Amino acid sequence: MTTAAPWSLTTDAPLHSLNTFHVAARAPRLLRVRDVAALPEALAAVAPSPLLVLGSGSNVLLAADPEGTVLCFDNREITILEHRADHAVVRAGAGVVWHELVMWSLAEGLSGLENLALIPGTVGAAPIQNIGAYGAQVGEFIQSVEAWDTLHAQWVQLDQAACRFGYRDSLFKHEPDRYLITAVQLRLPLLHELRLDYAGIREELQVMGVELPVAADVANAVIAIRRRKLPDPDVLGNAGSFFKNPMLPREQAELLSRQHPALPVFPGDEEGNRKLSAAWMIQACGWKGRREGDAGVSPDHALVLVNHGNASGAELLAFARRISASVLETFGVPIEPEPRLVGARW
């Protein structure tokens, strides 16, 4: 019986299957790491090449071919480190598919991640964006992040506070090339108060005939809603919500609300800022369902930029910029992309 190599290196590698926009980019080198203990050795083999980490590429727009080396983690182990009366600590490798972790946790009788079901991507990418949906964010449940610190060439374990989680934000977004996340530890409760008051979850549960929901029921409701609203990346290339909902000072948000009474405005942060619906503004500007060449906006969700077939990353980016400029001209509100842009700046 042979043991799989801890890492492998391929040259001139296609990235079509490693980004959910299915942009036909290529990498000069593709480094796949199965055993993270061998990561320093693998990095030494490609040094001093620039490095781009890709999970499933669900939060990336490859606006050009990346330079240097693309790194993918293939460690897909999930283990329970602690099991207490009211919670468990779960460790998941960076290469684990996020939705598979959610469903695994529910099968183990754990809760907390149900509102985050069906979010595309891998566990290693989850802390970077502080992925969130339907009233929950992963940062609430992360106990620590294990990573290789490229600046000091050492292993680190960053606790929740050190990760500096915010709305679609984290330490890792501000220092994007420093930490190579290899695993995440999550503190998941056995029971917690379910979050049902967001984007039609209660209504979906009612349609499902569920009167006393448990966490798994909430996950099934979220899955049903997401499948209706968001295109399957395997069918229509996309990276989910492309634009972040903008945050504005309360006074500015209230002024806009008076000018546009139908504009949805939500509570924002502890500083009193308000969050506006980017989807509403994009739709109001006439972009929902619009298509230019193979770049377009989903007819079902105005936040979702889609690749109808052979759009390049540069074409998708140019299309997104036109949408943003239109919203700025109409509402005076800048909107910014959620995905990381590779090969271009916003």
Side-chain angles (χ1 to χ4, degrees), residues 3 17 33 116 126 146 168 195 200 260 280 312 345:
T3 302
S17 64
V33 176
L116 306 178
E146 301 173 25
R168 302 295 186 271
R195 297 175 187 179
H260 307 278
W280 188 92
S312 67
R345 293 185 178 180

Side-chain angles (χ1 to χ4, degrees), residues 66-80:
E67 299 178 356
T69 301
V70 168
L71 168 62
C72 293
F73 286 107
D74 288 336
N75 57 327
R76 300 190 174 96
E77 302 80 18
I78 306 174
T79 54
I80 295 178

Side-chain angles (χ1 to χ4, degrees), residues 108-130:
E108 291 291 321
L110 304 173
S111 59
L113 304 183
E114 58 275 2
N115 292 58
L116 306 178
L118 212 63
I119 293 179
T122 57
V123 167
I128 299 171
Q129 181 75 358
N130 188 16

Side-chain angles (χ1 to χ4, degrees), residues 18 30-34 52-55 70-74:
L18 289 175
L30 176 63
L31 176 63
R32 307 197 75 112
V33 176
R34 183 187 63 83
L52 171 67
V53 181
L54 279 183
V70 168
L71 168 62
C72 293
F73 286 107
D74 288 336

